[in-house]
Amino acid sequence: MSGSPCRKTRKAKKHKMNSTLKRIASLTSLCIKGPGGKIGILYCFIVLALNLVEIQLTLKMITWNKDFFSALEKYDAQAALWQIGVVGVITLASASQYLIATYIRQLVQIRWRTTLTQASLERWFSNKAYWHLNTDENSPLDNPDQRISEDCRIFVDRLTGKVLDLFTGLVGLTTYIALLWKLSAFPIAFTLFGTPVVIEHYLVWTAPIYVLISSGLTHWMGAPLMKLNVIQQHREADMRFALARIRESKEAVALENGEEAERNIIDRRYKRILENWRHLINREFILGIFTRPYFMTVLRIPLFLAFPAYLMGYVALGGLMQLGSAFTRLVTTLSWFIFSYKELAELSATANRLASFMQQAEAIGKEPSPIEWNRSADKQLHIRDLTVRDPAGENLLHLPELIVKSGEAVWIDGPSGIGKSTLLKTLSGIWPHCEGQVSLPPGKTLFLPQKAYLPLGSLAECIAYPDKPENPETIRELIKKVGLTCPRHEEQLRQATELGSDYRLSGGEQQRLMVARILATRPEWVFLDEATSSLDAEAEEQLYRLLRTSLPDTGFIVIAHREPKGLGNYRRIDLWNRKPLEIPNENLRVALA
């Protein structure tokens, strides 16, 4: 017989809590094991030691309350002035302790955030997870940039803040209970339904009951906040991405007068933010109905509860203030959960998001490749029985066999949408919807997509990408060879600053830059996907001739709608009018340029 719905709900909540705690522990372990992580642990112990000093200073302040108000009660001006000096010293020591502890804790945050960020980046870049995660339609992951930049920061900040406060609170809790037990060595007596009741040390028992009830109410009212915060962060990130995309594509938007359409896109995403935001503020309002009065009275309630001891003559005014101060510290320490609820919800949500991101990124590398990859011993590219499909599983093309020798050129021609670019993605190893055998030749391989990629960096760094630029004169000669002779290119090379959004490169200039990149990196194999489509036929032929002359031993696989004149002899793979899309061996004919 299945359990009751309430029992199932409790089990689900318990499982979720255990899963969250495991993820927090896993991420914390990752921080500690990283470079400088163990020094971070040492720093944490130093912060804890300083926090213990704070507890001692708090005890001094509790004693000061008694001495100061006793002096006032006795009209002892000299003693009162002396206590003013004492509180000044305690305040100075407390401020010094706080600033030093905060500074050291921030040093821990720098170390651990760096470790966590590096670990996230390593998983994101390994096995090209950044590509697979963004192209998998079934993946629940979104906005990985937020995971790496924001979640790493938030997790470390909340971890080092709240966890250290928790350990400090546990030590302080025993200290304040012992002190309050000593100070409240008197009973409170009253009659309940005709029965006399006497409670020894009643203040010690009142504090945890008061806070326990308050904590339960806080959790009951604020439980939905965690989910709402996660949704809000996702939607905020979606809007930031849309705005950044407009900035990157501003020229296309301006040319096509797309302002109204883009505004509608932004408005739709902002509307989703507002929709969840209203739910969030409503829940925060409901939580605030209890927590705000609690925050305002938590420093007063202890004094009210200690007041009967003063009226019954157990303590004088100074003793009452000391009791109230000790009770306040105990209640404040016990209220850690209430004061930290929002940050704890944020820590939990962040840990789940960050751990989920890392797990999915790691899983990419563990998935078996659908292609049987080998390293050819004869310096040739071998393709056998290769089938390429779309994400829905429909066949795009099938290549029974293709062998490309070193220094040879192959032109792949065919209608748009038939799978030519997907074939190159397959050969690069990033397309998962395929099967077959591929033997790659040794040496450096360079794949250039249809859209030229300009990384954040100087013009020299863009040309040498993914390598680092070495000889500036070599780079300067390359830009001249490919026809980038504008004075502003020379000025940019001289200044070596980032290109920035104000540095305009036309489509043709970007493709000339890609040719310069080929010449700079000097790969043994080059795969080009419409890499010269923005150039006129004459310029295209000149650049192909430059590539063939400069790299006579390099193999070229070229996808283009125009004949790659200038590459010399080449073989053409004709994909026109192929139904089904089967590429027969005899179709690989030689064309003389």
Side-chain angles (χ1 to χ4, degrees), residues 219-235:
H219 181 62
W220 177 64
M221 293 180 173
L225 275 177
M226 183 185 301
K227 182 178 180 180
L228 290 172
N229 276 319
V230 171
I231 296 173
Q232 190 70 7
Q233 288 188 357
H234 283 175
R235 295 185 179 181

Side-chain angles (χ1 to χ4, degrees), residues 247 250 498-504:
R247 184 181 62 191
K250 53 185 176 293
E498 285 196 4
L499 296 182
S501 58
D502 58 338
Y503 192 85
R504 296 287 185 269

Side-chain angles (χ1 to χ4, degrees), residues 474-542:
T474 302
I475 299 294
R476 186 170 284 105
E477 287 298 321
L478 287 178
I479 68 170
K480 291 180 180 178
K481 286 183 178 181
V482 299
L484 293 174
T485 56
C486 181
R488 64 193 180 101
H489 301 323
E490 285 285 344
E491 180 65 16
Q492 212 290 327
L493 280 177
R494 187 182 64 82
Q495 294 181 356
T497 57
E498 285 196 4
L499 296 182
S501 58
D502 58 338
Y503 192 85
R504 296 287 185 269
L505 283 173
S506 67
E509 286 179 319
Q510 292 181 29
Q511 292 192 338
R512 289 179 185 272
L513 192 146
M514 293 301 101
V515 174
R517 180 178 296 172
I518 298 173
L519 297 174
T521 55
R522 302 189 66 83
E524 280 79 7
W525 292 86
V526 178
F527 295 80
L528 303 177
D529 186 2
E530 299 286 353
T532 57
S533 57
S534 298
L535 297 167
D536 60 82
E538 182 180 354
E540 181 182 57
E541 183 177 353
Q542 290 175 354

